[in-house]
Amino acid sequence: MPLARLPWALLCLAALAALSACGSSSPTTPSTGLRSIITLTVAPNPIVSTITNPLGPVYTATWIVTLTESGTVGGVVQSVKATVFDNASGHLVASTAYDDKDLIVFVGKNRIEASGTLAVPLQVSYVLSTVDRAASLTVTTVVKDDKGNLVESSILVKIQ
């Protein structure tokens, strides 16, 4: 069939297909992000410690760290680590950590879905250099996202 007899619509479609095959200088936006973006929150904030042994005194702090993914890329939580520092001396007085296997046991899963959350309850006991309860807590997480990126996030919280 000669080219002149093709319906006009088919010619337009053919021209459009040829133009789109040539490429474009403007970037396209992927449907998912390039990497996970993990934000941490701690509740309660500030944390109020309790005295679990008045002879020490030994303090205990309990909290829930919530990981929120906002980069539209899920991943496996490799670790959640918490450290307590004595505000008076600056020394590290306690730490606790969960790896990916611990999270399965204590939380029920070690994965954060794209645009999802994962709540991890934590507790630590410690002794301070003074009877003042003031301490600082840092929580650090490492997530290996579905695109192979290691994403580290941290938060600093006061303990009273």
Side-chain angles (χ1 to χ4, degrees):
M1 176 183 244
L3 197 57
R5 293 190 177 179
L6 280 176
W8 177 251
L10 285 177
L11 283 174
C12 289
L13 285 175
L16 259 159
L19 284 175
S20 65
C22 293
S24 171
S25 62
S26 62
T28 59
T29 305
S31 60
T32 61
L34 298 175
R35 63 184 278 285
S36 287
I37 298 171
I38 305 294
T39 304
L40 305 179
T41 56
V42 170
N45 188 354
I47 299 168
V48 178
S49 64
T50 57
I51 296 177
T52 52
N53 182 352
L55 299 176
V58 176
Y59 298 101
T60 298
T62 303
W63 67 95
I64 296 174
V65 60
T66 301
L67 293 75
T68 302
E69 198 292 316
S70 61
T72 67
V73 179
V76 174
V77 181
Q78 301 288 301
S79 66
V80 176
K81 182 176 181 182
T83 53
V84 178
F85 294 90
D86 183 332
N87 282 359
S89 68
H91 293 129
L92 171 70
V93 292
S95 68
T96 186
Y98 286 169
D99 65 13
D100 57 334
K101 292 164 194 66
D102 293 330
L103 289 168
I104 291 172
V105 172
F106 295 110
V107 179
K109 64 180 184 174
N110 63 3
R111 181 166 175 77
I112 185 167
E113 297 301 332
S115 303
T117 61
L118 179 66
V120 180
L122 292 168
Q123 177 177 313
V124 68
S125 296
Y126 56 94
V127 176
L128 299 175
S129 62
T130 65
V131 293
D132 180 16
R133 292 184 185 203
S136 296
L137 169 78
T138 61
V139 178
T140 303
T141 62
V142 177
V143 173
K144 184 173 185 180
D145 72 17
D146 294 341
K147 297 198 176 196
N149 302 303
L150 288 178
V151 180
E152 186 172 337
S153 303
S154 295
I155 189 169
L156 175 67
V157 179
K158 292 181 181 181
I159 301 176
Q160 302 175 340

